[in-house]
Amino acid sequence: MSGELVETSLLRVALADDEPLARARLRALLSAEPFVEVVMEAASGAEAVRGVLDSAPDVLLLDIEMPAGDGFEVLRALPPEVLPVVVFVTAWQQHAVRAFEAQALDFLLKPYDKERFRAALARARQQVRLLRRGEAVARREALLSGLALAEAPLRRLPVKVDGRIRFVDCASITHVEAEANYVRVHADGEQHVLRETLTHLEERLDPRRFLRVHRSVLINLDKVREMEPLSQGEYLLVLGTRGVAVRTGRSHRARVEAALGLGASPSESR
C-alpha cells in the first residue's frame, strides 16, 4: 500500500543552474508534471549546497559548470544523510563518464527534449520511492564511493558522433590541440572536436601520461616515437604510428625533457 501512495506523493525538486533560461525551462517542464513541487533554485554551487541543506529536496537537477563550486563539488560538500537523488543537466558532454562514476541517476545533455526529460524524472521518482522504502543508506554509500572514483583521471573521453555519444579510450589519444573555446582530439586516426578548454581537459587527464608541450598542444607521452632538437630550445616530436609531428614551445623545454627522461644525453645508434 505504501508503494501505491508514494506514486502519487509529492516529489520535491531542487534546481541548480547558473543560466536563468535553463532554470526557466526546467520550471516549465516540471509545472506540467503532477505531484511535483520546486522547493529551491540556485545559480551557483554555494547556493546549491545551502539550498539543499535548507530544503532537503527529493531530487536535485544539477548543472556541472557553475560559479562558486561545480556540480561535483556540491555533492562532496553535502552530508551523506541529506544527499538527494541527482540528475545532472549540462551542455558539457565530456562530463558524462565522471557523472555516472559519481552515481548520478541520469545525465541530461542540453538541448534535451520533453520526452527525454520526462523519462529522467520518472526514473528519479522511482528512485525516490525506493529510498523511501529504506534503501537510502545503500544508495548514499554508493554515491559517496562513486564520488571518490570521479576524482580519478579520465579513462574514457565521451565525444558526440552522429547524435550519439562515443567513448574514446584515453590511451588511444595521440595529442589534443586548442582551438579557441574548443579542443580537437586526435585518436586512432580520427579527430573529435569538443566544446572544452585545453586547460580543463588537461586537469581531467592522467598527468603521468599527458603533458602540455605547447600552450595550445597536449600530448600523450606514450605516443612519442622520436624527437628532433630544433633551434632555441624547441623540439619536434613525432607521435604514434602515423608519425604526426608536433612542435614544442620553448618555455616547456624543461618539462618535456624531464618527462621523456632526457636527464643525460641519449646515446647514438650505431
Side-chain angles (χ1 to χ4, degrees):
M1 181 175 178
S2 60
E4 295 176 358
L5 289 174
V6 173
E7 287 293 345
T8 56
S9 295
L10 187 66
L11 189 70
R12 305 174 73 253
V13 181
L15 314 179
D17 196 312
D18 63 331
E19 300 179 21
L21 290 177
R23 295 200 305 276
R25 173 167 167 72
L26 289 172
R27 280 198 306 275
L29 290 169
L30 289 168
S31 68
E33 299 293 330
F35 305 107
V36 172
E37 179 187 6
V38 177
V39 297
M40 183 277 288
E41 292 190 30
S44 71
E47 288 182 12
V49 172
R50 289 195 297 270
V52 170
L53 291 174
D54 290 342
S55 63
D58 299 312
V59 178
L60 174 60
L61 302 180
L62 180 61
D63 190 13
I64 293 179
E65 295 288 343
M66 292 189 295
D70 65 22
F72 300 106
E73 291 171 325
V74 169
L75 298 186
R76 284 194 295 274
L78 292 171
E81 61 272 18
V82 301
L83 281 174
V85 172
V86 176
V87 174
F88 279 111
V89 185
T90 180
W92 301 82
Q93 66 188 41
Q94 62 270 27
H95 293 303
V97 169
R98 195 181 178 198
F100 285 117
E101 287 176 343
Q103 297 296 314
L105 180 73
D106 210 334
F107 185 92
L108 284 176
L109 183 64
K110 301 175 184 175
Y112 50 85
D113 58 26
K114 182 178 179 180
E115 287 69 28
R116 180 68 181 87
F117 175 83
R118 295 194 69 188
L121 189 67
R123 292 190 65 202
R125 191 186 289 277
Q126 172 71 9
Q127 186 65 27
V128 169
R129 184 176 65 178
L130 294 175
L131 291 173
R132 287 172 178 170
R133 285 178 173 175
E135 298 181 12
V137 174
R139 169 70 177 80
R140 284 163 181 154
E141 286 180 350
L143 190 149
L144 291 175
S145 175
L147 282 175
L149 287 174
E151 289 302 295
L154 280 179
R155 293 181 295 107
R156 298 186 302 166
L157 184 66
V159 299
K160 201 169 185 177
V161 179
D162 298 331
R164 300 181 179 182
I165 294 179
R166 180 187 299 174
F167 294 95
V168 175
D169 187 346
C170 291
S172 70
I173 297 174
T174 55
H175 62 296
V176 184
E177 299 172 289
E179 296 182 1
N181 292 324
Y182 293 81
V183 294
R184 183 177 298 275
V185 178
H186 300 258
D188 286 334
E190 295 185 331
Q191 299 181 24
H192 307 282
V193 177
L194 307 179
R195 185 185 175 189
E196 171 71 284
T197 65
L198 191 64
T199 297
H200 191 259
L201 182 58
E202 180 182 15
E203 291 172 352
R204 295 294 301 131
L205 293 171
D206 189 344
R208 297 167 300 179
R209 170 172 284 168
F210 289 90
L211 179 74
R212 183 81 74 99
V213 298
H214 188 279
R215 62 182 174 81
S216 60
V217 180
L218 185 67
I219 68 159
N220 183 344
L221 290 166
D222 294 339
K223 298 294 185 181
V224 178
R225 196 174 73 196
E226 61 183 54
M227 62 191 300
E228 175 185 349
L230 302 176
S231 61
Q232 301 180 333
E234 298 173 337
Y235 287 104
L236 194 67
L237 304 180
V238 179
L239 308 177
T241 56
R242 295 173 184 272
V244 177
V246 171
R247 194 183 189 105
T248 67
R250 278 177 289 175
S251 63
H252 295 75
R253 176 179 179 176
R255 294 180 63 200
V256 171
E257 292 178 341
L260 294 175
L262 297 182
S265 299
S267 58
E268 292 187 359
S269 178
R270 298 178 184 279

